[in-house]
Amino acid sequence: MDRTRFLLRVAAIYALIGIFMGSHMAGAGSLALRPIHAHILVVGWLSLFAFAAFYKLFVIPKTSKLANIHVWGAFIGSIGLNLGMYLYYMYPGSTFNLIFYIVGGTILMLSFVAFALMTFVHGRAIKEAE
């Protein structure tokens, strides 16, 4: 799997969703979906794009289990958090929606922890160009 291409494509999909959602909110004159719109753009577009850039800039071994945990956690967690947030805001009171939201956010948080750990485990690969 090409981590850079995968993350970049998913980030581009989030960017499209966020832009269309923002356009819809502007046209409708309603900011009801503002928190979801912001999370789609920040967590989906910005974070996944930054992770794609990280994997392009630094040589992290393709066999790194920590990198695989990070990439799949970021992918699954961003979907879980954003979709869970949407369900929670649109259909309040559902225990399932709340749990979906929390589990998605927790997976995403663990992905960020894996990323932080990776910067130390693979620290030799992370250096400025000479």
Side-chain angles (χ1 to χ4, degrees):
M1 169 182 73
D2 184 335
R3 298 176 292 218
T4 301
R5 184 178 311 140
F6 175 71
L7 289 168
L8 189 61
R9 286 178 174 169
V10 175
I13 291 168
Y14 274 114
L16 289 173
I17 293 168
I19 287 299
F20 282 115
M21 183 178 278
S23 176
H24 171 72
M25 288 186 331
S30 171
L31 298 177
L33 299 177
R34 185 175 46 192
I36 301 153
H37 166 70
H39 278 78
I40 285 173
L41 289 176
V42 173
V43 171
W45 158 239
L46 185 60
S47 294
L48 295 184
F49 181 84
F51 293 147
F54 171 81
Y55 285 110
K56 182 65 178 172
L57 289 171
F58 304 111
V59 182
I60 305 300
K62 292 206 181 280
T63 58
S64 170
K65 290 181 182 174
L66 196 54
N68 285 332
I69 289 168
H70 167 250
V71 169
W72 286 107
F75 174 68
I76 293 167
S78 65
I79 291 172
L81 176 74
N82 287 309
L83 184 57
M85 180 182 272
Y86 174 80
L87 292 172
Y88 179 76
Y89 277 87
M90 297 306 291
Y91 308 101
S94 167
T95 304
F96 172 80
N97 294 348
L98 178 61
I99 291 171
F100 194 57
Y101 183 15
I102 291 170
V103 169
T106 302
I107 292 170
L108 183 64
M109 180 185 64
L110 293 173
S111 172
F112 272 82
V113 169
F115 178 74
L117 289 173
M118 192 169 37
T119 64
F120 291 96
V121 170
H122 298 293
R124 291 186 189 150
I126 304 168
K127 60 185 176 186
E128 292 184 33
E130 296 179 17

